Amino acid sequence: MKALLYIRLLIDGQTIVYGNPVLEQVKNQFPDVAVLDIDSQSGELVLHFAKQLLQSAGQVIVCVDSAGADAGFGSVFPLVELVLEGQKDQLIVFRNGHNRLQRMVQARPELKMRVAQSDAELIQVVQEFYT
């Protein structure tokens, strides 16, 4: 199974935004890719599904969209730890840099990382990874 886990790291006081046009585009262009969108305030049930998705997918893109360079991990920290283990065909894509997490990924040479500045770049990364 192929999957895209989109993690939004929110800053204090930021409201949760529902819907994401780029994820809808990914769903339309790649119907065989399971897509899950979570944020740093997601509840236990959503985090459980995200963990299952990470563990069962053969190929995974984890996109980290940070509202600020030092946004907190909130409830998603256990997922971040799982991603950093890098035990499968996985690509970590950063939208809007996150200083601490990028350093953590760069310290692990076995992890693959990319930066996508726009929705178009993210779609291109998805195309390249899954083809």
Side-chain angles (χ1 to χ4, degrees), residues 2-131:
K2 299 174 183 178
L4 171 65
L5 178 60
Y6 196 95
I7 302 173
R8 297 178 202 208
L9 298 179
L10 306 175
I11 55 175
D12 290 338
Q14 185 176 10
T15 58
I16 299 169
V17 177
Y18 294 98
N20 186 329
V22 73
L23 294 182
E24 292 302 319
Q25 189 174 352
V26 168
K27 288 177 191 177
N28 290 334
Q29 287 186 4
F30 305 95
D32 61 328
V33 174
V35 177
L36 183 60
D37 182 13
I38 67 171
D39 61 58
S40 54
Q41 297 175 8
S42 290
E44 219 174 286
L45 183 60
V46 174
L47 295 175
H48 174 74
F49 286 125
K51 185 176 181 180
Q52 281 188 318
L53 184 69
L54 281 175
Q55 291 173 333
S56 62
Q59 287 185 298
V60 181
I61 294 176
V62 178
C63 183
V64 180
D65 188 348
S66 181
D70 292 313
F73 295 114
S75 62
V76 299
F77 190 72
L79 284 178
V80 171
E81 289 179 319
L82 188 60
V83 168
L84 292 175
E85 289 176 7
Q87 297 179 359
K88 56 178 64 212
D89 190 8
Q90 167 181 283
L91 175 64
I92 302 167
V93 180
F94 286 96
R95 302 273 321 260
N96 307 318
H98 188 278
N99 298 332
R100 191 168 90 193
L101 185 53
Q102 282 182 271
R103 285 193 306 270
M104 292 166 76
V105 170
Q106 289 168 342
R108 292 167 173 83
E110 70 276 10
L111 297 177
K112 293 182 271 185
M113 180 187 93
R114 297 270 305 263
V115 176
Q117 300 295 334
S118 67
D119 290 351
E121 282 183 63
L122 179 58
I123 295 295
Q124 182 179 356
V125 167
V126 171
Q127 287 173 337
E128 291 170 4
F129 187 72
Y130 290 129
T131 55

